[in-house]
């Protein structure tokens, strides 16, 4: 046995009275029919059909083989129909890896809203303080920010986003408002230890002029929410993504400073280990939904 096609061939053969008739139905010669049947029998090591020039009949092994052939073809047809149905009906599991802060604040809400419309799609959201390998951990999607490493995965940019420098009005009133990156040397800066790297040097750009500033401060955390909390408590100056501080800046709880100097972008990307041609429907629909939701997120500019 070599393929499902051999089973279909055998079933067709059993519906007629002779090899010649089978050849006419299959549009091949009777010699080709005989050769293919012999190939199947040789592979199985038994005779399936007794035949002569005028007639043929199933052997005992042939009856067993025919019964299983029908069963296998029926199962194969059901499998094909089920896969086809799933290709046209969004259902199944989506496994996602996202950063803690963004995952808690936004991804959880995006998913909550999405499952109301697509209740047959299941989600497994894994939050981490550093990006996890999608392939090694069997994730369908990963949320990433800023410049992407060359992982060989497919990536889709879902929204442009920025990082901003901010502090409370109380801190700035007490210690002054820095106007230039060099002024940060005289301030307490809250550092974010991200992806096992402490960002003790902040990079700025203005009119193609770049500034790498070594900062200082007595507060460091690998959790963005903790960094934000310390900034809100007036302990110093912090760099945060727009999505994290938008509401605080809009209501005046935090003040955005040094707006003329840009930081490395925090553009939002979705990564996935599928090629676009074979992207499952449930994932394609969810990515399109994320793009719509993320592009509607409030920006400061």
């Amino acid at each position: 046995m070599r393929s499902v096609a051999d089973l279909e061939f055998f079933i067709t053969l059993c519906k007629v009275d002779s090899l010649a008739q089978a050849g006419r139905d299959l549009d091949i010669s009777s010699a080709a029919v005989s050769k293919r049947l012999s190939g199947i029998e040789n592979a199985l090591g038994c005779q399936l059909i007794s035949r002569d020039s005028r007639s043929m009949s199933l052997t005992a092994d042939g009856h067993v083989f025919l019964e299983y052939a029908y069963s296998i073809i029926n199962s194969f047809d059901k499998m094909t129909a089920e896969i086809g149905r799933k290709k046209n009906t969004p259902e199944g599991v989506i496994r996602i890896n996202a950063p803690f802060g963004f995952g808690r604040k936004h991804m959880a809400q995006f998913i909550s809203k999405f499952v109301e419309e697509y209740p047959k799609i299941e989600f497994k959201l894994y939050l981490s303080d550093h990006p996890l390998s999608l392939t090694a951990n069997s994730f369908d999607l990963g949320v990433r920010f800023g410049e992407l490493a060359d992982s060989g995965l497919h990536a889709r940019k879902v929204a442009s986003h920025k990082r901003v420098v901010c502090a409370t009005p109380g801190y700035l009133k007490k210690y002054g408002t820095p106007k230039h990156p060099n002024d940060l040397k005289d301030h307490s800066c809250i550092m974010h230890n991200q992806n096992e790297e402490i960002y003790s040097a902040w990079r700025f750009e203005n009119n193609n002029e770049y500034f790498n500033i070594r900062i200082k401060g007595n507060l460091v955390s690998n959790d963005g929410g903790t960094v934000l909390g310390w900034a809100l408590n007036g302990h110093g100056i912090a760099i945060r993504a727009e999505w994290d501080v938008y509401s605080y800046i809009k209501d005046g709880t935090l003040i955005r400073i040094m707006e003329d100097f840009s930081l490395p972008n925090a553009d939002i990307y979705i990564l996935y280990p599928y090629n676009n041609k074979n992207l499952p429907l449930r994932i394609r629909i969810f990515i399109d939904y994320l793009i719509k939701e993320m592009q509607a997120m409030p920006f400061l500019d």
Side-chain angles (χ1 to χ4, degrees):
M1 268 303 298
R2 291 162 291 184
S3 67
V4 171
D6 282 340
L7 297 178
E8 293 174 330
F9 164 81
F10 188 77
I11 290 172
T12 299
L13 192 58
C14 292
K15 291 178 180 178
V16 297
D17 298 325
S18 67
L19 298 182
Q21 181 61 49
R24 287 191 291 271
D25 290 349
L26 295 169
D27 197 25
I28 58 177
S29 67
S30 57
V33 173
S34 179
K35 182 178 180 180
R36 186 168 183 180
L37 175 59
S38 295
I40 296 173
E41 291 176 328
N42 290 336
L44 293 171
C46 64
Q47 186 175 3
L48 300 176
I49 293 179
S50 297
R51 62 263 192 196
D52 55 31
S53 59
R54 291 189 179 87
S55 64
M56 59 184 190
S57 61
L58 285 171
T59 65
D61 288 332
H63 281 287
V64 173
F65 186 79
L66 180 61
E67 181 180 350
Y68 276 98
Y70 272 118
S71 177
I72 292 170
I73 291 297
N74 184 52
S75 296
F76 183 81
D77 289 342
K78 287 182 178 179
M79 176 194 69
T80 303
E82 177 68 10
I83 291 175
R85 183 182 66 80
K86 287 187 175 182
K87 286 176 64 177
N88 297 304
T89 304
E91 61 180 336
V93 180
I94 299 179
R95 299 170 180 83
I96 304 172
N97 173 231
F100 271 119
F102 189 81
R104 283 193 297 258
K105 194 167 187 176
H106 291 292
M107 283 300 295
Q109 297 302 316
F110 293 153
I111 292 171
S112 179
K113 182 178 176 181
F114 183 82
V115 295
E116 291 180 2
E117 185 174 354
Y118 297 98
K120 290 188 177 181
I121 296 180
E122 301 175 38
F123 282 89
K124 293 186 177 181
L125 177 62
Y126 295 85
L127 306 181
S128 59
D129 60 359
H130 63 280
L132 300 178
S133 168
L134 300 192
T135 52
N137 294 282
S138 300
F139 289 121
D140 298 297
L141 297 174
V143 180
R144 303 291 184 261
F145 296 91
E147 295 183 8
L148 298 176
D150 184 11
S151 62
L153 300 173
H154 291 268
R156 191 167 172 184
K157 181 179 176 179
V158 294
S160 297
H161 221 47
K162 296 179 180 178
R163 293 183 175 95
V164 299
V165 187
C166 56
T168 60
Y171 175 89
L172 297 175
K173 182 178 180 180
K174 184 175 182 179
Y175 297 102
T177 301
K179 305 296 184 182
H180 189 280
N182 288 328
D183 297 339
L184 292 173
K185 297 175 183 178
D186 299 322
H187 284 269
S188 177
C189 296
I190 304 170
M191 288 170 275
H192 189 184
N193 179 354
Q194 195 171 23
N195 302 336
E196 300 181 356
E197 178 181 356
I198 297 178
Y199 288 92
S200 57
W202 290 355
R203 294 184 295 136
F204 297 87
E205 185 270 334
N206 177 263
N207 293 325
N208 293 321
E209 185 176 2
Y210 295 87
F211 306 88
N212 288 312
I213 307 301
R214 301 291 299 183
I215 58 171
K216 62 180 181 179
N218 62 341
L219 296 177
V220 180
S221 177
N222 69 335
D223 176 58
T226 299
V227 171
L228 174 60
W230 285 335
L232 290 170
N233 289 334
H235 291 301
I237 296 172
I239 290 178
R240 302 306 304 144
E242 286 181 284
W243 60 262
D244 201 20
V245 295
Y246 172 81
S247 60
Y248 297 112
I249 291 177
K250 294 298 287 186
D251 67 16
T253 303
L254 291 173
I255 303 296
R256 183 180 179 183
I257 59 177
M258 297 191 303
E259 295 186 42
D260 292 335
F261 296 88
S262 61
L263 292 156
N265 72 68
D267 292 342
I268 307 173
Y269 292 87
I270 293 293
L271 270 63
Y272 46 93
Y274 303 91
N275 62 54
N276 290 320
K277 182 179 179 180
N278 296 321
L279 192 62
L281 179 63
R282 67 186 185 280
I283 295 176
R284 187 185 306 278
I285 290 176
F286 185 63
I287 290 175
D288 290 341
Y289 162 80
L290 284 180
I291 291 175
K292 179 181 177 182
E293 290 295 316
M294 289 187 186
Q295 290 182 348
M297 289 170 60
F299 296 150
L300 294 171
D301 295 332

